[in-house]
Amino acid sequence: MKIPLALVRVATPVVMWAASLRRRALPPQFAVLEMTTAIWPALALRAIVRVGIADRLARGPATPDELARDLVLHEPSVRRVLRLLSGYDVVHEARNGRFELTRIGRCAARDTPESVADFVRYAGEPWQLDSWERLSETLRTGVPAFEIVHGTSFFEYAGTHPEAGELFDSAMTAVAPLYGFAVAHAYDFSHASPVADVGGGSGLMLRAILRAYPDVQGVLFDLPGAISRAPQVLGDERARVRVEAGDFFELAPSGARTYLLSHVLHNWEDERAVKILSNVRKELPADGRVLIVETLLCDKPNRWSAGNLNDAQMLSLVRGRERTRAEYADLLRQAGFTIKRIIPTAAAESILVCAPG
Ligand SMILES: C[S@@+](CC[C@H](N)C(=O)[O-])C[C@H]1O[C@@H](n2cnc3c(N)ncnc32)[C@H](O)[C@@H]1O
């Protein structure tokens, strides 16, 4: 059964509230053990992606014996890990002992249309996990654990370690269609052309918008490494996009009517975020709009929220943060903008529609 994403978004707080009731009903020690061990199935999922089991199962069901033979693995270990993941609805074991991917498991294989395998690989990389593992040092110092572990900032690291940089771009490319589609359908872009996606990565968000609006022209602006895959990602939409390499702390691309900043401001502390916005402000026509796509921080206490989760990831990795509506209003005011509307999307992200003034 396919449940509409918008319904899932509305239902998520209810489901999380029910989960918190369940946790409260447990003896508290069990609740702590459950949270502490939640990382184990996450790493088991990553392991079956890494050794190729997910890709092999995407081609058809197989027994652990067949998987071990085809992929040169240890059969009893394969069986035990798949048995664990069958409890998380990643694989299903049939009566004949063959395992197949469920609709969730198919997203962990690389060559399926719904694949987010590169995000699974990225989130499980040691250079990522180390930061979470050293979060206690961030609690002591306020310095992102990533910088403590690697001695450099996240984006410097991604720029100087090609494998890490490529995996980061692939991970963003894997998840961008999920919110790109939601953004393209939540905002009316028919009078927004040209749309400049600043820090737009390889162009997936822009592609989703241009596909939904055949008359809209685009500008894709990012660091040279990030835009290198743009021609192939943009595909048929390439002809309507000016691809431009640059540094958003130096300038914003000229000539657009709408500027999109999607998951960009949350990477930076206030001063640097204001610098990016001010550069956009210099290029924006008087009747232009800036669209900020982010997961907002929850301003009510004692709630689960995607914004709070992403905020902790920002805390461990970069000097950025998620922000509440009021914090965005303040940040935007410093760069000469006001928020006109906040549009929720079918994904966890909201669109802050901002105008000069
Ligand atoms: C978290 S990603 C967001 C990508 C995309 N907008 C999205 O929503 O999926 C942040 C983007 O900012 C880009 N970026 C980082 N520093 C930059 C800079 N100084 N100038 C231009 N782009 C930069 C990165 O290359 C990356 O593509």
Side-chain angles (χ1 to χ4, degrees), residues 21 52 56 105 132 134 191 208 215 246 265 313 320 336 356:
L21 283 188
R56 166 64 185 81
W132 274 96
R134 304 272 287 272
H191 303 290
D215 295 328
L265 298 182
Q313 167 79 339

Side-chain angles (χ1 to χ4, degrees), residues 155 179 199-201 222-223 226 246-249 262-263 267-268:
F155 285 111
Y179 47 79
D222 206 304
L223 294 169
D247 177 348
F248 50 43
F249 293 114
S262 168
H263 300 106
N267 291 147
W268 306 100

Side-chain angles (χ1 to χ4, degrees), residues 154-155 168-169 172-173 175-177 179 197-205 221-227 245-251 260-268 272 276 293 314:
F154 177 81
F155 285 111
F168 172 63
D169 290 335
M172 292 302 111
T173 303
V175 293
Y179 47 79
D197 193 353
V198 177
S202 52
L204 267 160
M205 168 86 79
F221 183 88
D222 206 304
L223 294 169
I227 54 168
D247 177 348
F248 50 43
F249 293 114
E250 298 291 322
L251 51 85
L260 194 61
L261 288 165
S262 168
H263 300 106
V264 165
L265 298 182
H266 78 162
N267 291 147
W268 306 100
R272 305 208 88 196
I276 298 169
V293 176
M314 294 306 120

Side-chain angles (χ1 to χ4, degrees), residues 24-51:
R24 273 179 241 167
L26 286 173
Q29 298 89 335
F30 284 97
V32 169
L33 293 182
E34 202 173 87
M35 276 190 74
T36 308
T37 56
I39 193 172
W40 297 348
L43 294 178
L45 176 63
R46 183 194 178 228
I48 70 158
V49 170
R50 207 174 180 190
V51 301

